[in-house]
Amino acid sequence: MELTGAEIVVSCLRDEGVKHLFGYPGGAVLNIYDEIYKQTAFKHILVRHEQAAVHAADAYARATGQVGVAIVTSGPGATNAVTGIATAYMDSIPMVVISGQVPTPAIGQDAFQEVDMVGITRPCVKHNFLVRDVRDLAATIKKAFYIAATGRPGPVVVDIPKDVTQHRCHYDYPLSVSMRSYNPTSKGHSGQIKKAAQMLLEAKRPMIYTGGGVVLGNAAAQVIELVRLLGYPTTSTLMGLGGYPSPDPLFLGMLGMHGTIEANMAMQHCDVLLAVGARFDDRVIGNPKHFAKEARRIIHIDVDPSSISKRVRVDVPIVGDVAQVLDEVIKLLHADATQPDTQSLQAWWAQIELWRAQDCLKYDRTAAVIKPQFVIEKLYEVTQGDAYVTSDVGQHQMWAAQYYQFDKPRRWINSGGLGTMGFGLPAAMGVQLAFPDAMVACVTGEGSIQMNIQELSTCKEWNLPLKVILLNNGYLGMVRQWQEFFYEERYAESYMNSLPDFVKLAEAYGHVGITIDKPEDVEPALRDAFGKYKDRLVFLNFLTDPRENVFPMIPAGKGLSEMILL
Amino acid sequence: MRHIISLLMENESGALSRVAGLFSARAYNIESLTVAPTEDATLSRMTIVTRGSTDVIEQITKQLNKLIDVVKVQDLTDGSHIEREMMLVKVRAVGDQREEMKRLTDIFRGRILDVSDKTYTIELTGPGSKLDAFLAAVDPSNILETVRTGASGIGRGDRIMKI
């Protein structure tokens, strides 16, 4: 049967098993929207700004592991989507974004709502396509899903001119894809894996460092098995939190710019480092020259060969699917009679415990004002560690990462690579739609929340009972912190005057708003939010200490052992 | 160090900009880039001349391989190879210069493609250094216009890049 391009788009999404599509209509995608209207296979979630559609699809993917899907119109719809696409790209999130385009004869004519979407997004997508012929449409969409989800995942844009959505052709959704130019490696090199196992057993001061790849590659079970088998200390990047249970004593906390002393020092002083699905970025190891001062042998497992030896030279590179490779490593370790050097390991743990004893995440618990850390701790208690926590970007993000003890993968959803303020609320929407019965908390700041606050309206439309945990300190806190430390307290434009009345604002959107200004009210408010108002969106406006800083902190360009402590 | 990277990629629209964009986005050096379809019209062959440390070149190769449209990447400088570049140069040729310019062209095994009463247009092919040497041998004030293709490269002997 012949279908129109628009019918084909909708059929492809249906056949791909898409359940939620996030988007915003406009001229160039009207034919597609007409078909969306007629179908029942998936729900369309109308956002209030295209950026939110992409963030929601992105978070949907992070939480479920499936490819997130968003649709936007041409021109401004497409450009509004770009921040969301770049966010997903930096964090390797599988996503397909369909953008409308002006009709093919109008391309290049500076037509109304025309932008070169393929050109604009080229540096921030895994791949993109402009579909010029309806006969290529189904195969292209199939490829887009395939590319997005395989290898190192990432966003793929499919730009579809309006006339292509009108043209007709036979529809047949391809069952599989084969591309001569794209064959991601999944199986690691067996010789290298053998070397890695050997090196792990030889270690005197071992360290296991896991990243977002463990979460994305569904390798948490393997990481847990490996760590417990060896009894080695483990840390995680911001993106990898939840890949290994945070409350476990073998876990040293997050490492990096705001990582714990024990994680950063162990990272710096280990003699064998196993890096799994992590990329040694600047927020993680700081200055690579400083990192290289201590001699250590590095094993690096990653699905993306270009992540290996990019910032740090490694001794045993292993390209492959992290879960598969770890399975192989574990198998070899079980087969090997060699035991880790217990004596050295004990000495190493003793050293680590000394670092840990410095209790670098301590804060003043007697203060009369609400400490932001306290709010996160209470959030953890009230939700019993079982919530999906999304965040925006800034101090609140770091506190959420440090004080919410993530013990499952895909529960901590934040923009790590791009650091996109405005991510949190639409992300929480995406998660809540994927898991309607789950507890979803958006930890945010008063700066970030205002970057996509219009989405409170979308939340109302879909009755999403997510909780906004606003740590309101009146400042763009992380900017303020840097200005305090590095700009002699010249607080240039980091104080936000004339903040809205967030309670009234929440109410205006049809939600529950509560302001909390005393430490003793924190827990009751959270209990109400997840109890009494379980089925409502609750906007909790916590007025927190405006002078609080995130510690420890490694200043930009410094090394892992050069932390500023409280 | 100077490297010549050869690659085969899908002959799709925008393929060139993906490569060029990669080099600018990651601040890689690009000395020259040539591209044209191969005997298989679905494939383009590209030769890129670049400079960088071993680490940088390793990253360049990996990043190129990561582009979805790229089918194969080879660093020709890893083995023995041939490289050629073509140059068209228009020189002033009046009076005695005409004879001298002809001689110089012959010495460099060039060809005069076009003649006017005041100019010669000369074609020269060879490694970049040979083209440089030719230009150095001509009085700069007599060089009216030059156009160079950038290097194309191929492995020697049985070293074949094909899919």
Side-chain angles (χ1 to χ4, degrees), chain A residues 46 54 220 518:
Chain A
L46 173 67
V54 183
K518 286 191 275 303

Side-chain angles (χ1 to χ4, degrees), chain A residues 434-503:
Chain A
F435 300 109
D437 300 325
M439 290 181 282
V440 179
C442 164
V443 175
T444 184
E446 74 289 348
S448 287
I449 191 70
Q450 290 186 84
M451 285 206 182
N452 265 325
I453 198 155
Q454 76 285 344
E455 296 309 317
L456 287 174
S457 173
T458 313
C459 294
K460 183 65 193 170
E461 186 175 339
W462 287 87
N463 288 316
L464 303 178
L466 58 93
K467 316 301 171 198
V468 176
I469 312 292
L470 170 58
L471 303 180
N472 184 350
N473 59 6
Y475 280 95
L476 301 176
M478 192 58 93
V479 173
R480 194 206 60 77
Q481 178 169 341
W482 281 56
Q483 288 169 335
E484 180 186 331
F485 289 4
F486 312 119
Y487 294 88
E488 296 167 325
E489 300 187 44
R490 290 185 300 277
Y491 297 122
E493 306 297 325
S494 55
Y495 179 68
M496 264 191 190
N497 221 332
S498 316
L499 285 174
D501 179 332
F502 285 109
V503 170

Side-chain angles (χ1 to χ4, degrees), chain A residues 127-348:
Chain A
H127 198 55
N128 58 19
F129 297 96
L130 169 63
V131 185
R132 293 172 172 275
D133 188 327
V134 71
R135 287 167 298 183
D136 298 334
L137 189 53
T140 305
I141 293 176
K142 180 73 192 176
K143 270 189 196 169
F145 275 89
Y146 170 67
I147 293 170
T150 51
R152 179 177 183 172
V156 178
V157 167
V158 183
D159 199 30
I160 310 175
K162 189 169 187 181
D163 55 336
V164 172
T165 65
Q166 285 157 336
H167 297 158
R168 291 176 167 276
C169 80
H170 176 72
Y171 172 71
D172 204 2
Y173 197 58
L175 292 173
S176 64
V177 190
S178 138
M179 295 171 72
R180 62 179 172 185
S181 65
Y182 175 69
N183 295 296
T185 314
S186 54
K187 200 170 158 20
H189 187 278
S190 57
Q192 295 290 85
I193 292 174
K194 215 170 277 172
K195 257 196 242 172
Q198 197 107 45
M199 201 175 271
L200 281 171
L201 289 172
E202 286 163 12
K204 296 197 181 312
R205 298 185 311 280
M207 179 70 168
I208 296 174
Y209 147 58
T210 63
V214 167
V215 177
L216 295 167
N218 298 314
Q222 284 82 351
V223 167
I224 292 170
E225 190 179 349
L226 179 78
V227 171
R228 296 195 175 150
L229 179 66
L230 293 166
Y232 287 178
T234 301
T235 182
S236 162
T237 66
L238 178 72
M239 298 312 294
L241 291 175
Y244 189 87
S246 299
D248 190 287
L250 295 176
F251 188 68
L252 308 189
M254 179 174 76
L255 85 166
M257 182 173 267
H258 296 293
T260 63
I261 295 180
E262 53 272 32
N264 286 340
M265 294 300 277
M267 185 81 176
Q268 182 73 9
H269 296 285
C270 63
D271 73 335
V272 170
L273 177 65
L274 171 66
V276 188
R279 58 190 176 92
F280 295 90
D281 83 73
D282 55 303
R283 286 304 193 258
V284 166
I285 58 156
N287 186 339
K289 282 200 185 103
H290 184 277
F291 185 64
K293 274 186 193 164
E294 306 289 336
R296 66 179 85 67
R297 292 186 292 170
I298 302 177
I299 304 159
H300 191 175
I301 307 171
D302 205 290
V303 73
D304 176 8
S306 75
S307 279
I308 299 179
S309 290
K310 183 169 73 174
R311 301 193 75 242
V312 167
R313 277 256 137 222
V314 308
D315 303 278
V316 183
I318 304 173
V319 178
D321 175 85
V322 288
Q324 279 191 42
V325 173
L326 288 178
D327 275 334
E328 296 292 317
V329 173
I330 292 165
K331 216 187 286 172
L332 287 179
L333 291 175
H334 277 303
D336 199 316
T338 323
Q339 289 300 312
D341 176 349
T342 335
Q343 214 168 355
S344 304
L345 196 56
Q346 267 174 9
W348 177 228

Side-chain angles (χ1 to χ4, degrees), chain B residues 52-116:
Chain B
S53 63
T54 317
D55 289 354
V56 170
I57 299 295
E58 183 184 329
Q59 265 301 309
I60 290 177
T61 339
K62 284 175 169 177
Q63 293 290 347
L64 285 169
N65 264 314
K66 200 165 141 180
L67 293 176
I68 304 289
D69 282 339
V70 169
V71 184
K72 215 162 206 181
V73 180
Q74 199 176 57
D75 184 348
L76 286 178
T77 3
D78 279 347
S80 100
H81 65 279
I82 302 164
E83 95 178 75
R84 286 293 178 271
E85 180 176 358
M86 194 184 77
M87 171 169 74
L88 298 174
V89 51
K90 196 170 283 188
V91 295
R92 195 188 312 279
V94 282
D96 297 346
Q97 284 168 342
R98 285 182 90 78
E99 192 47 39
E100 194 190 321
M101 205 55 84
K102 172 78 172 71
R103 253 199 322 270
L104 193 64
T105 305
D106 290 342
I107 291 169
F108 279 84
R109 299 211 176 97
R111 294 196 302 154
I112 297 174
L113 299 180
D114 184 47
V115 176
S116 75

